[in-house]
């Protein structure tokens, strides 16, 4: 039996209007501009770009405003908008070794070429609420060092790699085209390129919990943050009509190289293994969590038993997307009147059956 | 592209403009395509301000600019091969050498039209995955030629396409027998356009 | 199938042209629209026809696993592109980040004018040089602020023989 339910139209239209009013809040207060969101809520903008999987700070700011600050909703809005745009092509692979750095830290080496740059981080703050921010004050000014001589800032993993102490990551012969999850559905087993794409757009909270679980013993990965770098990476494309590569701008990125438990065999001397995280914007927690999960998901190829949730591809990759997760959880609030009627009927019938059987027994006794 | 076109604008030097209003024009042409396929055998005038490369008729050029995108594969017959760079630049389409891989195909003339079975036919599950074929002909008229019957035609209509004769009618009959698979055809002559969906029957081949 | 002939790779003067053009296209992509507008107005906006009108779409940004391994798709970015041809014959191309059609148009005009012997010098002075200075300053400012947060470790070492 299918029963069409009508009658909600006016209620829905009025709920739009109410949502608009509630989103705007007290009209006596000035309205937020997209520039204010972009400049002053930049980590929210970064998260929306990262999980919305579209680098465009202005669009992300608009999505945050429209979603009244609900970032998962904003991510949904950005993904929906994305679907209206044509795909113009693919960029050349980013060269993260030559990023212009805002921040670069390593937990594995104190002294390293290029040094440790703390950048703008909450790490060393006291986590005490700063009530001076409650009142508008003067804009703080950053300190500036003397301009440093151009200095190479090699990746920490490359330094270890020079000694052969860490596994090398080189592309397979012919540098094959990676599959693209925005064009092809996810299938299992998923190769690493597909897993990284899935994790890069995955929900930060989910990846954080999964990454945390690996540290608490659900998989044996024993991680060190080999290097975290945050800054600008140049984007290059090679348009066919030009026949040569051009640079089309810089993306703010965070990269995390996690150095993990070493492995060795009779044929291979012991060496460290690696996990990788890369995220749009200043998204350090996300990049770190991603690198932990990437490493855990490599269990199969490194000959480890996949015993923990974070090591199970199908579990991790199928549940990482906030859009899918939020959609499926939230659909439960939509009308299920008919389904529920059917179950109600069934329970009533079962109870009636039980009662009848009970009465029968009583009579027999 | 010739080496002479390589100065200043590089590989761009030989290219000409597409539609001046790509979205509006593509929508208008798409509408015309739908109408031609839903009323087989009737003619439309296609208007287009694209500066087409040699070898493309106005109607077929407009159709290709409107229908192709980066997800479509295109087969061009040899005399139209020079249009490949233009179509790729404006639409992002992927040229292919094998007609069986093509989503869209253009035969620059009847002489260059392969057997229809050489194109993608679609499958029972996905009959829409067959090639949509554009054939350029020297003239199109509705007062002579074949009698067309089938869905979208009240009783019958007539259509003649210069150069398409008995051999094509036979090939078309074979195409119809592959239903629900089989190709759909557009006939283009200068700015005139007609549609032959795979459901249409051609009778009395009387074309010259 | 090779659609667009790669532009004379054996020809060395051509390659130098590419290096210069690559550099200015990269700078134009990073320019503020207002700066492009101002610089181009100073040399005068030329007549042109569109080869491909401005179009906003997505480029899939790629990274490499571990920074050096297999390629993977990181996420997309908005890009606007266009191509035009000046009445004098030079073609200009632009690919700029974001969704501004006007910026793409101005960048493509500048690209075409910078290839033209008649206008290149004037546009360099009016637009490209100030732009390059600004980008350089932006980069240096960022570097000075980052360097100010560099950690200078010192270790208290136990005296030898103690």
């Amino acid at each position: 039996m299918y029963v069409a339910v009508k009658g909600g139209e006016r209620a829905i239209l009025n709920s739009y209007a109410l949502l608009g009013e509630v989103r705007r809040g007290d009209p006596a207060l000035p309205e937020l501009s997209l520039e204010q969101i972009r400049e002053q809520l930049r980590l929210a903008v970064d998260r929306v770009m990262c999980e919305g999987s579209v680098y465009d700070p202005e669009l992300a700011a608009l999505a945050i405003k429209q979603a009244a600050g609900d970032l998962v909703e904003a991510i949904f809005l950005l993904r929906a908008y994305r679907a209206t745009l044509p795909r113009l092509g693919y960029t050349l692979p980013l060269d993260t070794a030559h990023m212009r750095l805002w921040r670069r830290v390593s937990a594995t080496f104190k002294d390293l070429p290029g040094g440790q740059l703390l950048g703008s981080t909450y790490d060393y703050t006291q986590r005490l609420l700063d009530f001076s921010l409650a009142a508008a004050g003067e804009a703080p000014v950053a300190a500036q060092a003397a301009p440093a001589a151009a200095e190479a800032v090699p990746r920490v993993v490359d330094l270890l790699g020079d000694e052969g102490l860490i596994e090398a990551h080189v592309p397979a012969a012919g540098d094959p085209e990676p599959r693209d999850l925005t064009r092809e559905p996810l299938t299992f087993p998923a190769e690493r390129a597909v897993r990284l794409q899935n994790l890069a757009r995955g929900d930060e909270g989910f990846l954080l919990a999964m990454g945390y679980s690996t540290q608490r013993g659900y998989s044996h990965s024993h991680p060190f943050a080999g290097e975290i770098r945050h800054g600008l990476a140049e984007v290059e494309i090679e348009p066919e009509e030009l026949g040569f590569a051009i640079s089309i701008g810089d993306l703010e990125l965070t990269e995390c190289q996690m150095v993990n438990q070493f492995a060795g065999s009779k044929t291979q001397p012991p060496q460290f293994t690696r996990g990788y995280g890369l995220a749009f914007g200043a998204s350090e927690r996300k990049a770190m969590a991603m690198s932990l999960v990437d490493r855990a998901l490599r269990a199969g190829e490194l000959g480890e038993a996949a015993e923990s949730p974070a090591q199970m591809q199908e579990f991790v990759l199928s549940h990482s997307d906030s859009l899918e997760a939020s959609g499926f959880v939230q659909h439960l609030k939509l009308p299920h009147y008919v389904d529920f009627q059917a179950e109600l009927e069934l329970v009533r019938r079962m109870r009636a059956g039980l009662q009848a059987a009970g009465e029968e027994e009583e009579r027999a006794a | 592209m010739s080496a002479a076109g390589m100065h200043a604008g590089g590989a761009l030097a030989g290219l000409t403009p597409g539609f001046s209003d790509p979205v509006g024009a593509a929508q208008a042409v798409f509408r015309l395509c739908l109408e031609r396929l839903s009323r087989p055998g009737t003619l439309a005038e296609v208007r287009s301000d694209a500066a087409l490369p040699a070898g493309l008729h106005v109607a077929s050029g407009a159709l290709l600019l409107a229908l192709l995108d980066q997800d479509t594969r295109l087969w061009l017959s040899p005399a139209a091969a020079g249009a490949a760079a233009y179509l790729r630049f404006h639409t992002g389409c992927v040229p292919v050498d094998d007609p069986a891989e093509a989503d869209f195909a253009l035969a620059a003339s009847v002489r260059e039209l392969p057997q229809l079975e050489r194109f993608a036919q679609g499958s029972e599950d996905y009959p829409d995955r067959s090639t949509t074929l554009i054939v350029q002909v020297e003239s199109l008229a509705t007062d002579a030629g074949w009698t067309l019957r089938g869905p979208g035609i009240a009783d019958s209509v007539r259509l003649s396409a210069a150069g398409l004769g008995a051999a094509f009618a036979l090939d078309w009959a074979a195409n119809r027998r592959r239903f629900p698979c089989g190709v759909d055809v557009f006939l283009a002559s200068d700015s005139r356009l007609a549609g032959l969906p795979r459901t249409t029957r051609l009778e009395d081949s009387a074309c010259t | 199938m090779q659609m667009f002939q790669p532009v004379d790779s054996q020809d060395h003067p051509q390659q130098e042209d590419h290096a210069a053009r690559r550099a200015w296209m990269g700078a134009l992509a990073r320019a503020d629209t207002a700066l492009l507008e101002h610089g181009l107005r100073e040399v005068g906006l030329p007549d042109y026809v569109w080869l491909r009108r401005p179009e906003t779409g997505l480029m899939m940004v790629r990274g490499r696993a571990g920074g050096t391994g297999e390629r993977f798709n990181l996420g997309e970015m908005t890009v606007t592109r266009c191509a035009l041809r000046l009445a004098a014959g030079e073609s200009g191309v632009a690919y700029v980040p974001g969704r501004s059609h006007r910026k793409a148009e101005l960048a493509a005009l500048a690209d075409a004018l910078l290839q033209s012997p008649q206008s290149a010098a004037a546009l360099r002075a009016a637009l490209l040089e100030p732009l390059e200075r600004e980008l350089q300053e932006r980069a240096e400012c960022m570097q000075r602020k980052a360097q100010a947060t560099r950690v200078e470790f010192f270790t208290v070492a136990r005296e030898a023989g103690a």
Side-chain angles (χ1 to χ4, degrees):
Chain A
M1 179 185 64
Y2 178 77
V3 184
V5 182
K6 292 189 72 158
E9 193 177 333
R10 196 174 46 87
I12 289 172
L13 292 176
N14 285 340
S15 89
Y16 291 164
L18 181 57
L19 176 66
E21 186 181 299
V22 169
R23 185 197 60 69
R24 174 63 179 85
D26 183 352
L29 296 172
E31 185 168 354
L32 268 179
S33 72
L34 298 191
E35 291 74 20
Q36 286 173 328
I37 296 172
R38 206 183 57 206
E39 290 296 313
Q40 297 175 40
L41 295 176
R42 51 175 63 231
L43 297 182
V45 168
D46 287 348
R47 180 164 178 190
V48 170
M49 293 198 299
C50 192
E51 295 174 34
S53 205
V54 177
Y55 194 100
D56 187 317
E58 203 174 273
L59 286 178
L62 175 60
I64 290 167
K65 179 171 176 175
Q66 187 177 335
D70 178 345
L71 298 190
V72 173
E73 183 70 20
I75 288 158
F76 193 164
L77 291 171
L78 192 57
R79 292 257 193 109
Y81 178 80
R82 173 213 163 269
T84 67
L85 295 176
R87 170 66 68 75
L88 301 181
Y90 292 86
T91 72
L92 299 177
L94 297 165
D95 178 7
T96 53
H98 292 97
M99 282 167 72
R100 284 194 283 126
L101 296 171
W102 268 119
R103 170 168 165 81
R104 189 266 197 134
V105 292
S106 169
T108 50
F109 296 101
K110 178 164 65 68
D111 298 303
L112 70 174
Q116 310 240 11
L117 305 174
L118 301 184
S120 62
T121 175
Y122 284 94
D123 287 355
Y124 307 99
T125 61
Q126 304 292 332
R127 265 71 182 228
L128 300 173
L129 276 177
D130 178 359
F131 288 95
S132 71
L133 290 177
E138 272 177 37
V141 178
Q144 296 197 21
E151 181 183 13
V153 190
R155 281 185 289 234
V156 168
V157 286
D158 295 343
L159 298 174
L160 277 169
D162 290 344
E163 283 186 72
L165 293 174
I166 194 164
E167 55 170 344
H169 280 334
V170 287
D175 198 8
E177 281 280 307
R179 293 208 308 136
D180 183 351
L181 285 177
T182 66
R183 318 291 264 189
E184 295 172 72
L186 178 64
T187 53
F188 299 103
E191 62 268 26
R192 191 170 179 208
V194 169
R195 301 198 303 256
L196 287 170
Q197 183 180 10
N198 175 288
L199 299 178
R201 34 196 285 138
D203 180 69
E204 179 174 317
F206 175 79
L207 294 184
L208 185 65
M210 282 289 122
Y212 181 39
S213 76
T214 70
Q215 288 178 277
R216 291 195 62 256
Y218 289 94
S219 95
H220 316 276
S221 65
H222 200 50
F224 293 92
E227 183 177 9
I228 293 162
R229 42 174 69 201
H230 163 223
L232 298 177
E234 181 172 33
V235 188
E236 287 194 313
I237 59 169
E238 199 172 317
E240 212 172 35
E241 69 271 20
L242 290 177
F244 55 88
I246 56 169
S247 167
I248 59 167
D250 302 303
L251 294 188
E252 193 180 334
L253 293 172
T254 306
E255 180 187 58
C256 175
Q257 302 267 8
M258 204 59 86
V259 175
N260 296 77
Q261 185 183 51
F262 52 85
S265 63
K266 280 191 181 124
T267 53
Q268 228 173 3
Q271 55 179 351
F272 291 103
T273 59
R274 305 158 59 170
Y276 189 64
L278 188 62
F280 286 154
S283 305
E284 190 161 287
R285 196 187 299 116
K286 165 73 183 270
M288 292 182 76
M290 175 175 169
S291 65
L292 288 173
V293 178
D294 170 50
R295 174 60 185 82
L297 289 175
R298 297 182 60 218
E301 65 207 46
L302 293 169
E304 300 163 347
E307 295 161 329
S308 303
Q311 296 171 306
M312 296 170 183
Q313 296 200 357
E314 199 160 340
F315 181 80
V316 174
L317 303 180
S318 306
H319 300 120
S320 62
D321 193 85
S322 73
L323 210 71
E324 289 170 11
S326 154
F328 204 49
V329 167
Q330 293 206 73
H331 102 282
L332 291 173
K333 67 197 170 190
L334 298 176
H336 284 66
Y337 306 139
V338 176
D339 308 45
F340 189 69
Q341 249 350 283
E343 300 220 348
L344 200 58
E345 200 87 333
L346 187 64
V347 172
R348 285 199 175 119
R349 224 179 305 143
M350 286 162 69
R351 288 176 64 116
L354 271 180
Q355 206 174 348
E359 282 165 12
E360 193 94 340
E361 249 168 64
E362 246 168 64
R363 244 175 284 141
Chain B
M1 202 170 294
S2 72
M6 282 301 148
H7 67 286
L12 276 178
L15 293 177
T16 50
F19 292 133
S20 63
D21 171 16
V23 174
Q27 286 175 344
V29 172
F30 184 68
R31 178 83 206 165
L32 278 183
C33 291
L34 288 182
E35 285 171 2
R36 296 293 65 76
L37 285 181
S38 49
R39 290 172 180 69
T42 59
L43 296 186
E45 281 294 317
V46 180
R47 268 174 246 289
S48 152
D49 62 356
L52 297 170
L56 294 187
H57 289 205
V58 171
S60 42
L63 235 69
L64 291 171
L65 285 174
L67 297 178
L68 299 176
D69 68 13
Q70 61 277 6
D71 291 325
T72 54
R73 287 154 300 179
L74 172 69
W75 178 85
L76 292 170
S77 74
Y86 175 87
L87 291 168
R88 178 145 174 84
F89 176 73
H90 286 295
T91 69
C93 69
V94 182
V96 292
D97 293 326
D98 181 358
E101 289 176 8
D103 300 304
F104 292 91
L106 174 74
S109 67
V110 172
R111 270 193 314 284
E112 294 194 338
L113 175 62
Q115 289 286 109
L116 296 179
E117 66 180 10
R118 288 190 52 208
F119 294 99
Q121 301 295 319
S123 63
E124 293 281 329
D125 290 343
Y126 298 99
D128 55 305
R129 292 184 185 170
S130 66
T131 304
T132 298
L133 168 65
I134 303 167
V135 184
Q136 295 187 156
V137 296
E138 274 171 33
S139 68
L140 281 172
T142 52
D143 51 2
W146 292 307
T147 299
L148 275 57
R149 296 181 200 278
I153 304 171
D155 178 25
S156 68
V157 294
R158 303 198 72 190
L159 179 71
S160 87
L164 284 181
F168 178 78
L170 219 58
D171 205 6
W172 186 253
N175 187 59
R176 277 207 67 238
R177 282 194 296 276
R178 288 190 282 270
F179 188 85
C181 298
V183 302
D184 301 307
V185 169
F186 285 102
L187 300 172
S189 177
D190 292 330
S191 59
R192 297 186 128 183
L193 183 72
L196 279 184
R198 65 193 83 173
T199 51
T200 299
R201 294 193 302 277
L202 297 183
E203 296 167 5
D204 313 324
S205 172
C207 278
T208 48
Chain C
M1 197 187 281
Q2 181 80 55
M3 284 290 86
F4 296 93
Q5 203 144 326
V7 193
D8 316 85
S9 48
Q10 298 92 346
D11 206 338
H12 291 289
Q14 282 271 359
Q15 273 190 337
E16 270 166 40
D17 279 4
H18 289 172
R21 192 165 172 210
R22 274 169 50 93
W24 78 56
M25 288 181 85
L28 294 171
R30 290 165 172 82
D32 291 331
T33 309
L35 192 85
L36 294 175
E37 201 87 63
H38 178 261
L40 277 161
R41 200 158 295 148
E42 233 163 84
V43 299
L45 291 173
D47 288 337
Y48 64 90
V49 292
W50 287 116
L51 292 177
R52 185 160 64 194
R53 286 177 171 269
E55 173 187 27
T56 297
L58 298 164
M59 281 282 175
M60 176 57 89
V61 179
R62 284 184 164 160
R64 287 192 179 280
T68 52
E70 60 262 53
R71 291 181 286 174
F72 72 96
N73 296 306
L74 174 65
E76 291 160 314
M77 65 185 285
T78 51
V79 171
T80 301
R81 69 174 178 190
C82 68
L84 49 78
R85 181 176 296 138
L86 303 184
E90 285 84 7
S91 302
V93 173
Y95 283 81
V96 300
R99 289 165 295 118
S100 167
H101 286 201
R102 181 66 177 160
K103 178 174 172 182
E105 177 182 4
L106 294 168
L109 273 174
D111 176 46
L113 288 170
L114 285 165
Q115 294 170 64
S116 153
Q118 284 79 44
S119 51
L123 193 59
R124 268 180 188 285
L127 173 63
L128 196 58
E129 282 158 17
L131 170 58
E132 281 170 345
R133 269 198 304 278
E134 190 198 299
L135 294 175
Q136 180 75 22
E137 269 161 32
R138 240 192 264 171
E140 276 169 12
C141 176
M142 171 177 168
Q143 199 214 6
R144 282 197 300 272
K145 288 176 184 171
Q147 283 297 328
T149 68
R150 182 169 176 153
V151 183
E152 304 293 348
F153 285 108
F154 57 89
T155 315
V156 184
R158 188 179 285 222
E159 269 178 62

